[in-house]
Amino acid sequence: MASSVVTSKLDTRDRQHDTPTARTSMKQLFKALMMHSAIGAWLGKLPFLKGLYLRHVWAGRMDLFYGLFGSYAEAERFSANIGKVGWHDDTLAELLVRDAEVEAPTLFQTSQFAVMLWLSKLLQPGSTVVDFGGAGGIFYELCERYGLLKPPLSWHVVDMPDMVERGRQRHARLGSTMISFGSELAEAPAPDIMLMLGMIQYLPDPFGEQGPGILDTVPALPEHILINKIPISDAPDAWTAQNHVSSVIPCRLFNRAKFLAYFEARGYRLQDRWLVPELQAEIPFHPERTLTYFEGFYLRRQA
């Protein structure tokens, strides 16, 4: 009888400790150890632990990072062993470009305020905006909601063909009159303003190290470039792999000096910089490369 009472009390205590709050605390502790402390690097030397993390955590979640690689090709080879690689994916297109019956998000991410602030100053009647990586035109809809788009104005989105097709369908139903879509940057109109809002880190060769760079492809160099949501620091360039529901995508962690030097060599000067606190790059077993925020930039071409 006494033994049963003791056992019952122990069981009750265990159940009390095994609450959602306790489990959440344990997950947070494990995450902090793997991604924010030197212990994480030591844990990364245990192959079985890496395998467990890949199978039971990383593979089933959105926007998690894994691994550190010396090139895009190396990150791509790793990604191909996991599953489908790249943005050309129907599931991603459906997730990022909703049907016309679904309203655009009504809540801002913090860093979007900086982009919209600069657009409120830069957009002029007759302006042409090229939104590179703009999916279904979500930023167009945000700007339209807040009265920044005054005709005549041209807003051209460049993205993957499946996203472009869904974007065309969405805006045809919405009756949008100032937006167009295409899948080739070289075929876009000459821009006054170029947007790269959270996409340049996924390009295989944005700086033209093995072929044409991003500004070698655009029809004409824009006067203004707004870049947002990029992982950047003073550490050397590196690549990681990012899980996006149904595909895995190599992601570049930029070196700040090298990143800015590319644009400076083409006549651009940094006008503004802001932090993106809503995004982090937490790489398990590589705490030395964890980024607690991304960044954004406004660059202007000098006459």
Side-chain angles (χ1 to χ4, degrees):
M1 178 73 174
S3 175
S4 298
V5 171
V6 171
T7 302
S8 176
K9 288 182 178 179
L10 287 173
D11 289 344
T12 301
R13 187 183 63 185
D14 289 342
R15 286 196 298 271
Q16 287 173 343
H17 283 297
D18 189 27
T19 62
T21 301
R23 289 195 296 272
T24 299
S25 298
M26 289 299 295
K27 288 179 181 178
Q28 290 173 342
L29 176 61
F30 186 58
K31 179 179 176 181
L33 289 174
M34 285 198 305
M35 303 175 186
H36 297 276
S37 79
I39 296 174
W42 181 83
L43 291 173
K45 297 177 182 179
L46 305 175
F48 75 92
L49 188 59
K50 283 186 169 182
L52 284 173
Y53 180 85
L54 273 173
R55 289 192 301 273
H56 297 291
V57 180
W58 190 78
R61 298 281 302 280
M62 172 76 169
D63 283 344
L64 293 187
F65 298 89
Y66 185 85
L68 204 62
F69 309 99
S71 68
Y72 182 96
E74 188 181 343
E76 189 176 41
R77 284 193 295 271
F78 167 82
S79 301
N81 290 328
I82 302 297
K84 190 173 182 180
V85 180
W87 290 97
H88 188 61
D89 181 85
D90 292 339
T91 302
L92 266 179
E94 186 175 352
L95 178 68
L96 296 175
V97 187
R98 310 305 295 273
D99 294 334
E101 292 75 19
V102 181
E103 291 187 6
T106 56
L107 292 177
F108 271 109
Q109 293 176 328
T110 303
S111 66
Q112 290 175 326
F113 280 105
V115 179
M116 291 193 68
L117 173 64
W118 278 112
L119 284 176
S120 72
K121 297 174 179 294
L122 300 176
L123 286 171
Q124 302 293 329
S127 292
T128 296
V129 178
V130 169
D131 187 358
F132 190 26
I138 184 62
F139 217 81
Y140 172 92
E141 293 186 52
L142 288 174
C143 290
E144 187 177 45
R145 178 187 301 151
Y146 286 89
L148 300 186
L149 306 181
K150 306 294 185 184
L153 181 139
S154 171
W155 188 295
H156 185 78
V157 173
V158 178
D159 213 307
M160 303 301 294
D162 33 10
M163 294 196 192
V164 163
E165 182 55 33
R166 290 185 64 88
R168 284 195 183 111
Q169 293 175 12
R170 176 178 175 86
H171 285 277
R173 291 177 186 146
L174 292 174
S176 305
T177 59
M178 293 180 285
I179 190 169
S180 59
F181 293 85
S183 56
E184 296 294 337
L185 185 58
E187 297 173 3
D192 302 299
I193 302 168
M194 188 170 180
L195 305 180
M196 292 181 270
L197 308 181
M199 52 71 61
I200 191 171
Q201 61 264 37
Y202 303 113
L203 298 178
D205 190 24
F207 298 153
E209 295 160 298
Q210 299 173 2
I214 192 169
L215 292 181
D216 300 318
T217 308
V218 69
L221 291 177
E223 182 178 357
H224 310 283
I225 297 177
L226 290 165
I227 301 171
N228 199 26
K229 300 180 181 178
I230 61 167
I232 193 167
S233 71
D234 295 327
D237 273 355
W239 285 257
T240 186
Q242 189 173 2
N243 192 358
H244 284 276
V245 183
S246 56
S247 66
V248 182
I249 301 171
C251 175
R252 188 169 187 162
L253 308 175
F254 288 106
N255 170 264
R256 189 188 316 280
K258 185 175 181 179
F259 181 90
L260 293 174
Y262 173 78
F263 294 96
E264 290 169 355
R266 285 148 184 83
Y268 290 90
R269 295 295 177 266
L270 180 65
Q271 304 296 307
D272 195 15
R273 167 180 170 256
W274 55 90
L275 304 184
V276 182
E278 65 265 28
L279 294 177
Q280 302 84 35
E282 296 177 313
I283 305 173
F285 315 116
H286 294 281
E288 76 282 2
R289 292 310 302 257
T290 286
L291 299 176
T292 55
Y293 54 81
F294 285 21
E295 296 184 25
F297 301 92
Y298 165 39
L299 300 148
R300 183 170 186 174
R301 194 163 187 255
Q302 305 303 297

